[in-house]
Structures are given as structure tokens and as C-alpha cells.
Amino acid sequence: MDIVKAIERANLLSYDLSFDYALQCSKLLTGNGSDRALARRAAIHILDRWDSVPIATRPLWTDIIEAVGFYPYISKISNTDRLDSFADEIRQQSFLSDHLPNTYMHSEQKKLSDYLSSERNVVASAPTSFGKSLLIEELVATRKHKNIVIIQPTLALLDETRIKLKKYKDDYKIIVRTSQEPAIDRGNLFLLTAERVMEYEWFTHVDLLIIDEFYKMSLKRVDDRADTLNNAFLKIYDTFKPKFYLLGPNIDGITEGFEEKYSAIFYKTDYSLVDCNVNVITGVDSEAQRERKLFELLDSQANQQTLVYCSSPQRARSVARAYLKHLRDNSISTAPKEELPIIEWLSDAIPKWSLTEKLTNGIAIHDGSLPKHLGASIIRYFNEGRIRCIFCTSTIIEGVNTSAKNVVIYDGKKGRKDIDYFDFSNIKGRSGRLMEHFLGNVYCFAPIPQTEAIIVDIPFYEQDSFALTSEVLVNIRAEDVKPQVQQRYNELNAIEPELLNIFKQNGTKIDGQQSIYARLQNDIVTRRDFIVWTQVPNYDQIRYILQLCKGNYLSFDGPVRSVEQLAVYLNQYRADGSLASIIQGCYDYSIGKVKKQTAQRQADHYDKAIEVAFHVYRHWFQFTVPKAFRIVDSLQRYVCAKRGIKAGSYSYYVQQLENDFIRNNLSILIEYGIPSQTVRRIEQEIPASLSEDDVIQFIQENRDRLFAPLMQYERDRLEQCL
């Protein structure tokens, strides 16, 4: 019998059984890689049942736990369970971090750390629970690298990293916005998305480049931000030649030749300090059956943290609403022991939203459209055990770290596409957590995808003639261009150099930018008022810019269907400085089409109106529209310069939109995840003359006075973020 299954099935670990299992493990450790992997899994299952392991056999298991390299766990085992010799202590101390206090590395972590300390660059593939991110902090803590760029795919993950690394603020200035200049009296930590790396103008030197989730560079996995990530790497590496560390999970290989070209090591391991049990749920042919089985499962896990993966935000909200109704109908109480501070804030800021009732019952939703502070707070409460269940999309799987014991894969799709084995492995990897849960559980309501090797292409190096986009090709150095794309490269470089440089800096589809440029050239005389403006545009000017970008950068689907609709939303937001009017407008429109307006139906429509408003805010206001206006702004400046016309300037409006129309020096607070309502409450108490960095110090020095009128949730957010 498989030793792991035997340990699981043993109701009582007697001395004889424990001794026998330890003996089997010892034999496995002398075998091949798969035998050693099985021994590691057995050790994890023993650790999960440590309290039931007979005391007399615990020293045997401690030796095995050390033999498999689980040094972080050895430090947690009671001294009475260990028989350490002086040699044992010396060996264990060799796995103690040189730079992170009281932190032991496991054996594979130490090996990867040694690679990172060498002169070689490192591309690492390891499971989610490996602890790759710990090595980011280890690199920072060495203080060896003066300027470090860390690129992560989401602002939520960057904010998590910022909070973790703010303890190094005496040695490094932490830069999260493109408006922040680097320090010259100390090092700099640039915590940026790939888009912000491309926009940042103040790099003077970079010693270390770290890219988290580097598989997103692949053009063959169809990620719409892959171009920008490739170009961000090229911008930093070609300019400064820094050492680099690329990390990600579940990858079997990278483009052949990349290691030699960049003096890199591809390090792959399946080593993990957690194990997960995969359970396939059967008898779920109808949606009603699926829901019933899901709700039974969640009810049985009332004391454990569970993520329920759904294919889309709408799906996550729909299933969460159904589960809330199930709790109500069956009088099941799952309320946290203490009321969450966020509930008071939500009741005041967004009354009637059903999320308040969900949180009251210990459940939540999470997707990319939630305001930053809400998403971060939900994850924090979940990790603290104050929320037991989150209905989520891929954003939580790829974007933040959680302490989930259980993961339910409720849907087998990601958006409209079937999840593949790579997606499945990433979602599965969120069950269990290093130093939190030895064992995780995965419950699959969808078929498990067929196993396949994942080879991540590095497009700027591979230069596949079919996959490589012009947006990446144009940023490759001439001497690095390969024959199969040379003609395309030459055609791109036939574009006027100054204009081509603008195309490169904008980093979006070159043919789309060429179309916008041609239209601006035609319209600059007859429609100059729509193009040449400053400060804040009127409705017609907004509509004109959006129409220019339609099909060239903007595509309209989902809740926003047209240029005119988006222009109305932008005008409403500028006028109110909040989403209230957009929420109300969406609600009035949807409820007006419903003949029978029951209380529940009204509540559902109000929820949907909030969801639309948040999507508009996060997707359109915070990213897509500012980018569109920057593209047109750069091109209209070029057109005007060629014509000898005074150009317009869209920068003020773009900054205001991105900053929620809050004073510029306070925009850093929005970046840090402080609610805009909170910033407005303390705005008058903070001098307008202070720089962004000085604002943070001012709040810390005047904490008591500034915090006094705020709700507990707002005080908590300020404490956590600053």
C-alpha cells in the first residue's frame, strides 16, 4: 500500500505502525527521485498528525524530516521531540538565513539561494508553496544591490510586497509610482507593474531585476499584457545589464538557448513542504446538483479557509449570492466571532450592497474589479481566519497570497476558455500554505485537464516569425534580431525615428497607433478644438478621443458597450468625484426594464449596478482610459510640432482621473490602498506643500489627531498600509 494512503487511513498511530512507517520512509530516502518525493509526502502527512505520533518514535521522524530538508518545520518541533547532537545543530544552523532573523530555509530553498548568490542569472520554476517570494526578501536583505526593480503582475501583489519590504526603508526608498524620483542617498526598490516600468523616466542604474510570474511573458499563452512585460525586460536589461531572477510555478522548460545567451540557470523543482489531496466531485450533471454539493461541502468546512474558484466575476457573485440565500433559508450561522470593522464602513459608504451581509456571515467575493482597499482587506481577514470562504476568479489565484486550507474548482473555465493543465496546477497550488497548513484539499467539480509539459517561450529571444508581435520586435536591439524577422524589423524601422520612438514608448499596437496618427493629421485643421485642449476636457472632447482609440486601442464589451456610454460615465465621475451617480444610473436603467419589482429583485439589481460601477472604475478609469489619453496626447504633440501649432496637454486630466480627483500630493495614499473617502476626510489637515513622501511621514507624526474622526476600518487601513 502507498505509505501516504496508509498514514491517512490509520485511525491510531500506534508505536509499531509509526516505527514501521518511519522504516519505510528511510528506505524510500535511499531510492530514486520519485521514491524521495514519496518520502517527503509521507513526512508532511506525519507532521499534519504530529500530536498523535507516539512520543517514543518522534526522534525517528525528526531525523526523517531533517533528511528530506524540512528545516523550517524542524525549528517548530518541540525540543523534547528531538535528540539533537552537536553535529545536528551545526547542520541545522547552516540552513538559517544569513539575513532574515530566525528564518530557516528548506534544503531546496538553500540551493536556489546559493544560485542567486552566484554570478549567474536564475530562472526558477517551483510550486506555489515552495517559498520563492521569501528569496526576494532575502535578496533585498543582503543590501548587496543598490537599485532593485521588482515587476509583479498585479497592484495587489505589489502592495503585499511593499508592506513586507517596508522594514528596509532606512536602506531603500520604495517607489511605487512613476511620479516618484529615486533617492541618491540610499538604494531604491522599484515595485512596479510592467506598464509602469515602461512609463518610468527616472532610472539611472539597475543592479537587480526580479520578474514574478514570468510565464506571463509568453505570447503563446495569449496574455494581452505579454508584449509590455517583454518590453519591460528589454528596457531594463539592455540598458543596465543587471543580474536577474525570474520566478514562476509549474514550468517544465524555457526557450532553448536562452540560458546560454543570458548566462542563466533554469532551476526546476517539484519540491514542496505541503501536500494536497485532490477529490473529484461526481454526480453533478445539473446546476442544481452542483450547487447542492458545493453548499454541503462548504457547510462541512465551517472552521476552515476555503477558496471557491469561478470562471468570471459575474459567476463568482452569482454563486456567492446563492450560497448566502442557502445560509439564510437554512438558518445557518457562520458569523465571525467579532464584527469586521469593514462592515461599519460599507454600511456608510455603499449602503444596500449585499457584500455587507456576506461578510456578516463570514463569506466574501474577490475579483479584479473590487476597489484596491476592499480586495486587500478581504484577503487580510481571510488570512486571519475572520472570513472562512471567498468566491473568487483567477485574480486571487495569480495575484495574491492566501492561507487557504481548501480550494474548490467549481468551474472548468477561465473566462470563456477551458482551463488547461497549467491553469489547473496554479489553482490547485493555492491549497495548503507553507508554515500554515501541512495539507490542503482540492475539490474538482470540473474534469481535471490532461497533463502536459509547459514550455514557456521567451518571445524577444525566440523571435518566432508568427507569434512575435511588432510591439516586441521594434524594441529588440538591431544586433539581436534574427533572420526570420529581419524584413519586418526593417519595415518598422523605416518609420520616421521620432514617431517610431513615440510608438515604442506607448507600447501598444503599432498599426493602431498609426491609424490614430493618420486621423489626427487629417483632423488637426478642421477639428482642432477636439484635439488641442488642456486641463479638463468637455464631453465632446472626451468622446472624440475615445472614438479615435476605438478599434485601435479600445474595444467595447461587457458592461461598457459604446464610446458615448463611457464618455457619460467619465463626465459623471468628474462631476461627483465618486461612483454614486454611476451606481444609481445603472440601477435605474436595469430596474426600469423589470415589471415585477420584488424586494429581492431590487436588491439583486442594485448589486449588479455596483458591480458595473466597480468594473468601470478599475478597468476603465484606473487603467484603460488614462492609457488611451496618454497615447493620443503623445501623438497630438508630435502632429502639432510638425505643423508649428501649440499642442494640447492631457496630463492634468489623466493624473486627476487616476488619482480619483484627489490632490496630487495625496495620490500616494490611493496607491497604498487607502479609500478615497478616507483621504478626503483628512485632506484639509495635510499641507498641500508636502511631497508625496513627506505626506506619509506627516501622517505618522500626527497619527492621533488625524485618526480621531475616522472609523475603525479607516484607522486600520492607515496602520496597515503606512
Side-chain angles (χ1 to χ4, degrees):
M1 181 187 287
D2 181 329
I3 185 173
V4 171
K5 290 181 180 177
I7 292 170
E8 278 186 337
R9 293 174 182 174
N11 292 324
L12 177 67
L13 278 175
S14 64
Y15 174 88
D16 289 342
L17 275 179
S18 182
F19 185 87
D20 181 51
Y21 295 154
L23 182 61
Q24 289 184 52
C25 256
S26 297
K27 290 178 180 177
L28 287 169
L29 286 170
T30 65
N32 58 26
S34 60
D35 286 342
R36 292 183 63 82
L38 184 58
R40 287 200 303 271
R41 291 186 61 215
I44 292 168
H45 284 255
I46 284 292
L47 281 163
D48 190 57
R49 300 185 59 179
W50 191 255
D51 289 343
S52 64
V53 174
I55 292 174
T57 63
R58 288 182 183 180
L60 296 175
W61 281 110
T62 302
D63 286 344
I64 290 169
I65 291 163
E66 181 183 1
V68 297
F70 290 177
Y71 290 97
Y73 288 156
I74 290 176
S75 65
K76 300 293 182 184
I77 295 173
S78 168
N79 288 331
T80 59
D81 296 335
R82 296 152 54 182
L83 294 176
D84 289 345
S85 66
F86 181 68
D88 291 333
E89 291 181 11
I90 293 294
R91 190 165 53 253
Q92 289 167 23
Q93 288 301 306
S94 69
F95 288 87
L96 188 63
S97 168
D98 293 329
H99 306 283
L100 303 177
N102 304 315
T103 301
Y104 283 88
M105 294 186 186
H106 57 72
S107 57
E108 289 295 309
Q109 243 177 352
K110 184 68 169 67
K111 185 186 297 184
L112 181 53
S113 178
D114 290 342
Y115 283 139
L116 290 169
S117 299
S118 72
E119 296 304 311
R120 301 284 297 277
N121 295 309
V122 176
V123 182
S125 169
T128 303
S129 58
F130 180 89
K132 300 181 294 295
S133 298
L134 177 75
L135 296 178
I136 294 178
E137 184 176 355
E138 173 84 5
L139 286 167
V140 172
T142 65
R143 281 101 171 159
K144 176 181 175 182
H145 309 282
K146 184 175 182 182
N147 293 305
I148 303 172
V149 173
I150 301 176
I151 301 176
Q152 292 178 309
T154 67
L155 292 174
L157 198 54
L158 284 165
D159 204 49
E160 185 179 297
T161 302
R162 178 187 65 80
I163 291 171
K164 186 184 299 181
L165 298 181
K166 66 182 180 180
K167 64 173 75 80
Y168 303 101
K169 63 183 179 180
D170 291 340
D171 300 287
Y172 293 96
K173 177 178 178 179
I174 296 181
I175 293 175
V176 295
R177 291 174 58 81
T178 55
S179 58
Q180 292 177 275
E181 294 186 35
I184 57 175
D185 60 336
R186 54 191 162 136
N188 295 281
L189 283 175
F190 301 92
L191 307 183
L192 303 168
T193 60
E195 289 80 7
R196 290 184 176 182
V197 167
M198 297 305 295
E199 293 170 5
Y200 194 76
E201 299 177 354
W202 306 99
F203 293 119
T204 55
H205 190 70
V206 175
D207 306 287
L208 175 65
L209 170 63
I210 298 171
I211 299 181
D212 197 0
E213 310 291 2
F214 81 93
Y215 64 85
K216 289 180 174 290
M217 297 174 82
S218 169
L219 289 173
K220 295 175 182 176
R221 290 199 60 79
V222 194
D223 188 311
D224 58 5
R225 299 166 80 176
D227 288 347
T228 310
L229 187 54
N230 278 268
N231 289 336
F233 180 95
L234 289 171
K235 176 179 178 176
I236 299 298
Y237 188 82
D238 287 348
T239 305
F240 305 111
K241 296 294 185 295
K243 182 180 174 64
F244 63 74
Y245 172 35
L246 313 183
L247 60 150
N250 309 313
I251 294 154
D252 297 291
I254 57 175
T255 298
E256 187 177 351
F258 181 86
E259 294 171 73
E260 291 77 15
K261 167 76 173 176
Y262 289 94
S263 185
I265 297 167
F266 178 63
Y267 170 87
K268 172 180 169 50
T269 181
D270 60 1
Y271 188 98
S272 177
L273 275 76
V274 302
D275 193 28
C276 72
N277 300 311
V278 177
N279 307 276
V280 177
I281 306 299
T282 57
V284 287
D285 298 326
S286 69
E287 184 62 24
Q289 290 174 324
R290 288 164 62 82
E291 278 196 357
R292 179 174 57 80
K293 290 254 186 174
L294 174 65
F295 298 166
E296 287 174 356
L297 177 62
L298 295 178
D299 290 346
S300 70
Q301 296 171 338
N303 297 318
Q304 297 178 354
Q305 264 56 54
T306 302
L307 296 176
V308 180
Y309 168 78
C310 300
S311 58
S312 68
Q314 295 79 9
R315 179 74 166 153
R317 286 169 161 81
S318 172
V319 179
R321 275 195 294 267
Y323 185 54
L324 179 62
K325 183 177 184 299
H326 162 81
L327 294 176
R328 278 199 227 106
D329 292 348
N330 292 278
S331 301
I332 299 173
S333 176
T334 56
K337 293 179 181 178
E338 298 178 3
E339 184 175 288
L340 303 174
I342 196 173
I343 290 173
E344 177 194 18
W345 186 89
L346 282 172
S347 299
D348 176 71
I350 317 174
K352 299 189 292 185
W353 190 15
S354 71
L355 177 60
T356 304
E357 187 179 359
K358 292 184 181 78
L359 290 167
T360 302
N361 283 274
I363 63 175
I365 53 172
H366 191 287
D367 61 62
S369 67
L370 283 180
K372 188 175 181 180
H373 71 95
L374 286 182
S377 296
I378 285 169
I379 295 300
R380 186 181 185 90
Y381 292 144
F382 181 78
N383 288 342
E384 292 172 348
R386 302 168 77 182
I387 292 175
R388 69 179 183 90
C389 179
I390 299 180
F391 296 84
C392 64
T393 63
S394 61
T395 55
I396 204 171
I397 303 301
E398 299 171 350
V400 290
N401 292 314
T402 63
S403 58
K405 172 75 172 176
N406 309 300
V407 169
V408 177
I409 303 178
Y410 192 59
D411 292 328
K413 291 184 177 293
K414 186 178 178 182
R416 296 190 180 105
K417 296 180 179 179
D418 291 340
I419 61 172
D420 60 15
Y421 189 74
F422 181 73
D423 295 321
F424 170 78
S425 298
N426 278 351
I427 299 169
K428 169 175 167 274
R430 292 296 169 177
S431 66
R433 179 78 172 154
L434 178 63
M435 306 306 289
E436 293 277 346
H437 305 296
F438 297 111
L439 296 179
N441 299 302
V442 178
Y443 300 92
C444 299
F445 282 72
I448 298 174
Q450 186 175 351
T451 304
E452 58 182 335
I454 304 298
I455 308 298
V456 172
D457 56 299
I458 311 291
F460 66 80
Y461 174 74
E462 184 174 297
Q463 297 181 32
D464 181 288
S465 56
F466 296 103
L468 186 66
T469 62
S470 297
E471 293 68 53
V472 175
L473 176 58
V474 77
N475 283 282
I476 298 172
R477 294 184 306 172
E479 58 266 35
D480 293 330
V481 174
K482 296 184 178 180
Q484 65 266 27
V485 292
Q486 186 68 57
Q487 183 177 344
R488 282 176 58 201
Y489 184 81
N490 293 341
E491 290 169 357
L492 287 168
N493 278 273
I495 297 171
E496 189 174 338
E498 188 178 348
L499 181 59
L500 183 60
N501 191 51
I502 292 171
F503 290 166
K504 286 182 182 181
Q505 289 176 341
N506 287 335
T508 59
K509 299 294 182 185
I510 288 178
D511 56 354
Q513 292 189 71
Q514 287 177 311
S515 296
I516 294 171
Y517 170 64
R519 176 77 179 275
L520 287 169
Q521 281 189 304
N522 289 333
D523 289 354
I524 192 63
V525 176
T526 59
R527 311 194 75 184
R528 185 186 299 187
D529 289 346
F530 292 93
I531 300 169
V532 180
W533 51 265
T534 60
Q535 297 297 306
V536 179
N538 60 37
Y539 172 82
D540 290 331
Q541 290 165 334
I542 291 173
R543 187 176 62 175
Y544 174 82
I545 302 300
L546 297 177
Q547 192 67 50
L548 272 182
C549 294
K550 182 181 178 182
N552 296 316
Y553 173 66
L554 302 179
S555 58
F556 291 88
D557 55 15
V560 178
R561 299 284 182 178
S562 69
V563 162
E564 290 73 21
Q565 184 184 8
L566 181 55
V568 168
Y569 286 158
L570 286 163
N571 255 4
Q572 286 179 317
Y573 189 57
R574 180 191 63 187
D576 296 351
S578 77
L579 296 174
S581 61
I582 297 177
I583 293 172
Q584 191 61 46
C586 291
Y587 173 73
D588 291 342
Y589 176 76
S590 62
I591 204 70
K593 299 189 296 182
V594 179
K595 293 181 180 179
K596 188 176 181 181
Q597 299 181 6
T598 64
Q600 184 57 53
R601 187 166 290 183
Q602 289 178 6
D604 289 346
H605 279 276
Y606 192 77
D607 269 11
K608 289 176 183 176
I610 292 170
E611 293 159 19
V612 168
F614 283 161
H615 170 79
V616 169
Y617 172 76
R618 285 299 297 267
H619 176 72
W620 292 99
F621 294 176
Q622 290 288 288
F623 178 73
T624 307
V625 171
K627 181 67 175 178
F629 273 69
R630 284 196 180 99
I631 292 167
V632 178
D633 189 29
S634 64
L635 293 172
Q636 66 88 18
R637 288 172 188 269
Y638 179 72
V639 169
C640 288
K642 287 187 68 175
R643 299 279 186 125
I645 298 170
K646 183 180 179 181
S649 175
Y650 305 171
S651 58
Y652 174 79
Y653 177 68
V654 168
Q655 288 173 359
Q656 287 290 293
L657 182 59
E658 288 181 318
N659 298 342
D660 290 352
F661 296 95
I662 282 170
R663 202 172 69 208
N664 276 350
N665 71 329
L666 301 182
S667 59
I668 191 76
L669 300 177
I670 302 296
E671 187 71 45
Y672 281 7
I674 308 300
S676 57
Q677 296 93 324
T678 306
V679 178
R680 290 190 175 94
R681 284 192 178 108
I682 61 177
E683 181 176 8
Q684 298 306 315
E685 301 297 323
I686 302 174
S689 59
L690 296 178
S691 69
E692 289 181 316
D693 296 320
D694 289 339
V695 163
I696 304 301
Q697 185 175 348
F698 180 86
I699 293 173
Q700 290 168 337
E701 291 174 351
N702 295 273
R703 177 185 178 283
D704 292 343
R705 176 168 61 84
L706 293 173
F707 282 24
L710 301 178
M711 295 183 189
Q712 184 61 49
Y713 174 69
E714 296 173 305
R715 294 195 290 271
D716 289 347
R717 285 303 300 163
L718 283 163
E719 290 278 13
Q720 292 154 11
C721 295
L722 305 184

